[in-house]
Amino acid sequence: MQAGLLDTHHNAVSTRRSPAWVVTGLLVAFYLLLYFGKEDYNATDAAVRYARDPLNLMLVKLGWKLNDNGSLWVFNKWYLYAGLYTLGMAVGGYFMLRKHGNSTYHRYRTYSLVAVQAVLGLMLPLVLDFLGRPAWYFSYFFPLKYDLFFPYNMDHMQPTVMAWFIVMSFVGLPLLVYFKGKRVYCSWICGCGGLAETFGDPWRHLSDKSSRAWRIEQVSIHSVLFAAFAMLGLVIADGLAPEGHAIHNFANSYKGMYSLAIGSIFSGVLGTGLYPVGGTRVWCRFGCPMAAMLGLIQKFGRFRIAVKKDMCISCGNCSTYCEMGIDVRSYAMQNRDIKRASCVGCGMCAHVCPRGVLQLVTRRDAGPGQHTQEWTVDL
Amino acid sequence: MHFVVVGNSIAGIEAAIALRNRDAHAKITVVSYEHDHPFARVALMYIFCGQMRLQDTEFYDRELYARMRFERVRDLVTGVDPVAKRLSLKSGSYLHYDRLLLAVGSVGRRLPWPGAYDQPGMHHFVTLPDLEGVNAMAKPGMTCAVVGGGLIGVESAEVLHLRGLKVHFLIREPWYFPVALDNAEAEVVAAHIRHHGLDCRTATPIDGMERKGGKMVLKMPDEELPVDFVVGAIGVVPNTKFLEGSGIALTPGGAIDTADNLESVSTPDVFAAGDCANVTWPDGSRRPEQIWYTSRDQGRAAARAMLGDDVKYRRGTWYNSAKFFDIEYTTAGFIPFAAKPHKHQGVGAPGEEAHWQTWYQQVPGQAITQRIVCKDGRFVGFNGLGTRWDHQVFMRWIHERRALDWVLAHMNEARFDEEFVEPFRVLPSATLVDGA
Ligand SMILES: Cc1cc2nc3c(=O)[nH]c(=O)nc-3n(C[C@H](O)[C@H](O)[C@H](O)COP(=O)(O)OP(=O)(O)OC[C@H]3O[C@@H](n4cnc5c(N)ncnc54)[C@H](O)[C@@H]3O)c2cc1C
Ligand code: SF4
Ligand code: SF4
Ligand code: SF4
């Protein structure tokens, strides 16, 4: 339950006033630089150059290098990015929990998100790299990690690692989602969702609640899902086709296009850049193929938000603070349990409801409409 | 047929929707002076503190009027002429009706201090104009008094405190919210309010008020308290001043007196629903029900009556929920209150002998309590602070006449909290006392 009140609308950064646009500008610029800026050295070159100097080697591994004149330079922007990202989540998580930390659910899932990012998103890949082993991000699966099965990954992927990614992508996560809901991934593990839940918390209420947005969402997210699986098919066909076959060219340009349009621009530049003006989950809601896939499973699974009958006072806190733009209130007012593919199970609607109307459940028994009997009690 | 609905809040708009759903061709006009769209009055505090904007509290999309083909009249109704079947509007025009629904809600009950309203400084927290008034008045660093220990009182005290005012929360009764909480529960709430830094005083009657040097000085038995302004939260009264002299029968309290089908007892083709309607309670008493969900039900029932159905409006068993700062409160069934014993709640036949028992516990050091009331060994009511409960489950158990031990053994089935919270447990400190 929400402790204290939020003064969201007295805060210029949270309400699309000029500071919000400045932050958006900075974020967009940052991501453009990150994705389209120059790669510095490549890892093997530098490793050779600095191998004899342990200090330099360590710096290189951490994403920095000493220039010949002794100044410090960014060397591998991706590790630097992972470090900044983790920092953003940790600091954002701290502020998020200052507001909502009286909720055990929010505490646990925030710890989980930050820990997954710090360990699987930063430290383990670093350590593997130090040890000279291929570095993998073990918490990202297909189709979110769209290039998982690209040749440049498959070529040096150990069989156990491959087994982990294949089993988790196509069996493990779908099963977990069936039983516990999409939130298992989107609100407890995924780094993209993790940034939204922590760093992005001041902007979660900005999501578009209109039914038009819902219609767009249904088309756009499933199109990306289709595009991602089409690409998987192409990658497989590409691998099987004989040398010189026309499909190789097509597959390559398709992969390039997807990487640019979806991987860099949509999920990165827009996905995070638009936080301060479009809400935190623009990518998760309109673009993420993982969300689309897990959402379809969630729709048939056990997870739902149960509604306490006839207790809703229509105040609107739930809908306002739903980052996925779900009009939770309209369900609550009609005493209808909420079973929506897009719900990431963040639990915020239940948390901010001042009348305790909502509950995230995975119980099997009660289906929608269970709580419909009118109890007139005579004493 | 021209239906006119005055009031577009929960009672009015639900009635209008129900009318349209049944009658595709009728002309339906919805009149309201406050806002173009229905909004949740219960969320005033969230608008004040910036948790939501007014438009976030609109509980239907803005296309509702167009979709339902409601005519929107944004005006204040100043009188009703039931003979000519027309309303007079503040703008000077008239509006004819065939059937009229009055869902005009409440206004804050005025404090009885002489001269209190002659000059600025007296506020309420019920309507949008009230909200604008307090919003313009309240500046951080000011001192204010919230008078009245009910739900609107605690909500206004909370948001004023959050804005950085020094808040004196003054309650006449011996403890906070005596119509719902007992002494022990109220003490948990009061301690929590004080912990937030408010001055929360119980058993503090105010004899009057005087304006001195730009301040309002509240006179209490052994103290004078100067404040910059006062929010009166001593309850609400039906918003029916404009009906006086119209011939539409009002109760002494100002509510529109209605028959079982919510039609005015005096005036045909005039109906009332929501806060302004005098209705029959399950115990037979007649008074308005000033709550959100019953206003909705009344609106729907009144619409059916206006369409000619044979309707008898009766509310079901009592339940409610509220929030006192961070403490959530759920109640279901019958909880007798000690401060004004059995005033409205005629249980059983008058003078009937019954064995009442109350089971109570508080989780040590936390604002979490549960109270279970039994009558003749059967569960009849529940009060819970600090955790979430499904009132429907309790109502079922009351209906099934469960014994206390059975209820205690099944309490976790009624929990409605988020995951990972401590389950309900019977603590060694729990008490069971005779009497309710
Ligand atoms: C601060 C606050 C908190 C509350 N919290 C809760 C809660 O937590 N739970 C709960 O159950 N209840 C709560 N209530 C009570 C609840 O808001 C009311 O019971 C409910 O709003 C009644 O609805 P209604 O439709 O009868 O009238 P109202 O909501 O009072 O609306 C009256 C409507 O009539 C219109 N109107 C009035 N007079 C005229 C006129 N002369 N001409 C034209 N239009 C007119 C107004 O514009 C408005 O649209 C709270 C009330 C307040 C003020
Ligand atoms: S929707 Fe996609 S990006 Fe967002 S949290 Fe879920 S899996 Fe991650
Ligand atoms: S419906 Fe509730 S749990 Fe689901 S995404 Fe929205 S706020 Fe989160
Ligand atoms: S479900 Fe809760 S938060 Fe949502 S509108 Fe109803 S009372 Fe408000």
Side-chain angles (χ1 to χ4, degrees):
Chain A
M1 56 189 73
Q2 164 83 41
L5 295 166
L6 308 171
D7 54 358
T8 310
H9 288 281
H10 295 162
N11 175 347
V13 181
S14 294
T15 44
R16 293 198 185 115
R17 279 173 268 175
S18 35
W21 290 97
V22 172
V23 177
T24 277
L26 290 174
L27 285 171
V28 168
F30 172 81
Y31 274 91
L32 286 176
L33 207 68
L34 179 74
Y35 285 114
F36 303 110
K38 170 161 136 356
E39 290 285 341
D40 211 328
Y41 295 68
N42 75 53
T44 37
D45 260 6
V48 173
R49 264 180 75 186
Y50 292 101
R52 261 165 275 135
D53 178 346
L55 171 73
N56 256 338
L57 179 62
M58 200 150 84
L59 279 176
V60 164
K61 293 296 185 188
L62 289 172
W64 301 84
K65 76 180 179 67
L66 276 178
N67 262 358
D68 296 338
N69 61 9
S71 62
L72 205 56
W73 262 115
V74 176
F75 159 69
N76 182 326
K77 60 186 182 186
W78 296 110
Y79 279 136
L80 189 71
Y81 174 52
L84 276 176
Y85 200 95
T86 312
L87 189 72
M89 276 182 65
V91 174
Y94 168 78
F95 283 102
M96 189 273 186
L97 288 183
R98 282 224 316 203
K99 281 192 236 161
H100 305 299
N102 66 324
S103 147
T104 331
Y105 185 74
H106 285 318
R107 275 203 310 282
Y108 286 5
R109 76 184 179 90
T110 307
Y111 298 155
S112 163
L113 285 170
V114 177
V116 168
Q117 170 60 28
V119 176
L120 299 182
L122 179 67
M123 266 135 47
L124 190 63
L126 262 179
V127 169
L128 286 175
D129 206 347
F130 263 111
L131 299 177
R133 313 275 298 263
W136 301 105
Y137 295 96
F138 287 101
S139 52
Y140 288 99
F141 307 106
F142 185 84
L144 177 58
K145 182 150 178 60
Y146 58 90
D147 62 352
L148 195 57
F149 304 118
F150 281 11
Y152 63 69
N153 278 325
M154 293 301 260
D155 287 349
H156 60 286
M157 200 186 278
Q158 306 92 318
T160 42
V161 173
M162 200 185 295
W164 163 256
F165 282 129
I166 292 178
V167 169
M168 279 309 286
S169 299
F170 302 111
V171 185
L173 262 186
L175 270 181
L176 271 170
V177 169
Y178 179 83
F179 287 105
K180 291 289 166 193
K182 188 166 145 184
R183 58 192 178 142
V184 169
Y185 195 66
C186 293
S187 289
W188 287 73
I189 295 174
C190 180
C192 307
L195 193 71
E197 295 295 325
T198 52
F199 174 72
D201 182 63
W203 300 295
R204 56 179 309 128
H205 58 286
L206 295 176
S207 57
D208 189 339
K209 313 294 192 291
S210 67
S211 47
R212 200 182 100 239
W214 186 10
R215 285 195 299 274
I216 295 174
E217 162 195 333
Q218 284 168 315
V219 174
S220 68
I221 197 168
H222 293 112
S223 312
V224 179
L225 177 69
F226 179 79
F229 272 90
M231 186 163 62
L232 180 65
L234 268 181
V235 168
I236 295 171
D238 184 34
L240 297 178
E243 199 142 329
H245 195 281
I247 196 155
H248 299 306
N249 269 339
F250 181 65
N252 275 337
S253 52
Y254 187 98
K255 286 191 297 191
M257 258 154 51
Y258 187 100
S259 309
L260 176 72
I262 308 293
S264 305
I265 295 180
F266 201 164
S267 81
V269 180
L270 298 179
T272 312
L274 291 187
Y275 274 14
V277 292
T280 42
R281 292 258 194 184
V282 171
W283 157 249
C284 294
R285 183 178 177 196
F286 295 99
C288 177
M290 190 87 170
M293 184 177 93
L294 300 183
L296 292 175
I297 299 167
Q298 169 157 287
K299 204 74 186 144
F300 298 104
R302 292 202 186 155
F303 173 80
R304 67 183 193 287
I305 302 177
V307 170
K308 207 191 271 184
K309 186 182 177 250
D310 281 347
M311 194 61 107
C312 172
I313 54 169
S314 320
C315 67
N317 277 299
C318 50
S319 298
T320 303
Y321 286 92
C322 175
E323 55 194 345
M324 299 305 280
I326 298 173
D327 191 2
V328 185
R329 164 174 51 193
S330 67
Y331 291 82
M333 283 174 61
Q334 300 170 55
N335 297 317
R336 274 172 62 199
D337 284 5
I338 300 150
K339 215 162 183 184
R340 281 278 292 269
S342 63
C343 169
V344 289
C346 64
M348 195 57 81
C349 52
H351 175 68
V352 296
C353 173
R355 297 294 177 268
V357 174
L358 309 164
Q359 188 188 37
L360 277 55
V361 293
T362 52
R363 279 194 306 267
R364 199 166 169 192
D365 47 42
Q370 186 239 10
H371 301 285
T372 49
Q373 188 170 353
E374 192 72 65
W375 298 109
T376 306
V377 178
D378 54 328
L379 285 161
Chain B
M1 181 68 88
H2 185 193
F3 295 113
V4 173
V5 176
V6 185
N8 71 348
S9 185
I10 186 75
I13 207 70
E14 288 296 333
I17 293 172
L19 286 170
R20 175 58 77 221
N21 285 345
R22 281 273 298 277
D23 187 338
H25 306 294
K27 181 173 177 198
I28 302 176
T29 304
V30 181
V31 190
S32 157
Y33 81 93
E34 259 180 302
H35 190 49
D36 272 351
H37 307 279
F39 72 96
R41 186 173 313 287
V42 293
L44 279 190
M45 64 181 297
Y46 303 109
I47 303 172
F48 182 87
C49 73
Q51 183 158 322
M52 285 190 282
R53 299 161 301 172
L54 173 60
Q55 72 199 71
D56 296 325
T57 74
E58 293 166 5
F59 49 90
Y60 284 112
D61 59 290
R62 289 193 162 181
E63 278 72 56
L64 180 79
Y65 275 56
R67 205 167 55 238
M68 292 275 157
R69 289 174 284 117
F70 297 155
E71 310 264 334
R72 174 183 286 117
V73 173
R74 179 82 185 271
D75 210 333
L76 187 73
V77 178
T78 50
V80 179
D81 180 348
V83 181
K85 286 200 160 184
R86 65 175 194 186
L87 310 175
S88 43
L89 304 177
K90 194 178 178 201
S91 61
S93 53
Y94 295 95
L95 184 64
H96 288 269
Y97 64 83
D98 293 319
R99 294 223 165 111
L100 173 68
L101 177 67
L102 295 166
V104 290
S106 310
V107 288
R109 183 190 297 277
R110 288 158 78 94
L111 285 158
W113 309 327
Y117 293 86
D118 296 350
Q119 289 172 40
M122 277 303 312
H123 293 270
H124 296 277
F125 202 68
V126 178
T127 62
L128 283 185
D130 290 347
L131 176 76
E132 280 156 26
V134 187
N135 195 31
M137 185 75 186
K139 301 275 177 300
M142 279 185 169
T143 303
C144 68
V146 175
V147 178
L151 297 174
I152 297 178
V154 77
E155 292 187 354
S156 19
E158 180 174 3
V159 289
L160 288 165
H161 171 72
L162 185 89
R163 186 169 283 192
L165 283 84
K166 168 85 188 138
V167 180
H168 299 281
F169 187 23
L170 309 175
I171 301 162
R172 181 183 59 187
E173 287 76 22
W175 64 76
Y176 173 68
F177 204 31
V179 291
L181 304 179
D182 76 359
N183 195 0
E185 289 160 337
E187 197 35 59
V188 171
V189 174
H192 177 75
I193 294 175
R194 292 189 188 111
H195 179 77
H196 271 276
L198 284 84
D199 169 34
C200 172
R201 304 188 203 177
T202 50
T204 307
I206 299 165
D207 303 326
M209 187 275 305
E210 210 180 288
R211 286 194 166 82
K212 259 193 236 158
K215 294 260 178 193
M216 299 170 83
V217 181
L218 304 184
K219 294 193 177 146
M220 298 182 293
D222 35 39
E223 195 188 335
E224 296 205 328
L225 183 69
V227 295
D228 292 308
F229 66 96
V230 174
V231 175
I234 56 168
V236 293
V237 292
N239 184 14
T240 52
K241 265 233 140 49
F242 69 102
L243 294 176
E244 283 169 8
S246 68
I248 298 173
L250 303 179
T251 65
I256 302 163
D257 216 354
T258 63
D260 276 346
N261 67 347
L262 300 177
E263 186 164 9
S264 160
V265 292
S266 60
T267 316
D269 293 330
V270 173
F271 297 74
D275 274 23
C276 63
N278 204 45
V279 297
T280 308
W281 285 52
D283 61 14
S285 64
R286 301 263 309 154
R287 54 199 160 112
E289 292 174 313
Q290 288 141 336
I291 40 180
W292 187 259
Y293 1 88
T294 54
S295 297
R296 177 202 61 188
D297 294 346
Q298 286 180 24
R300 290 176 183 166
R304 288 177 45 210
M306 291 167 81
L307 291 161
D309 287 7
D310 186 13
V311 176
K312 183 174 172 186
Y313 172 78
R314 277 289 183 281
R315 68 164 303 167
T317 303
W318 173 257
Y319 65 85
N320 203 3
S321 64
K323 197 170 177 191
F324 315 116
F325 283 63
D326 311 336
I327 306 179
E328 286 180 21
Y329 164 67
T330 311
T331 187
F334 176 71
I335 291 284
F337 43 91
K340 294 182 196 163
H342 302 235
K343 186 174 163 216
H344 289 306
Q345 315 199 7
V347 186
E352 175 200 48
E353 285 290 309
H355 180 214
W356 293 89
Q357 282 178 306
T358 296
W359 182 93
Y360 178 77
Q361 73 174 15
Q362 181 187 356
V363 177
Q366 295 185 49
I368 298 177
T369 68
Q370 292 96 26
R371 180 151 65 108
I372 296 170
V373 176
C374 294
K375 181 190 171 202
D376 293 329
R378 302 291 165 204
F379 173 46
V380 294
F382 170 83
N383 250 11
L385 286 177
T387 45
R388 289 178 169 177
W389 302 90
D390 186 349
H391 61 295
Q392 290 283 322
V393 177
F394 289 127
M395 311 240 283
R396 192 173 76 226
W397 293 348
I398 295 172
H399 180 80
E400 293 165 355
R401 300 184 176 278
R402 297 292 181 180
L404 177 62
D405 288 342
W406 190 94
V407 170
L408 287 176
H410 290 78
M411 282 292 273
N412 281 311
E413 291 166 23
R415 279 301 281 278
F416 210 74
D417 264 298
E418 58 188 21
E419 290 137 299
F420 313 114
V421 295
E422 289 273 298
F424 168 86
R425 256 195 310 267
V426 175
L427 303 169
S429 57
T431 55
L432 180 64
V433 296
D434 278 341

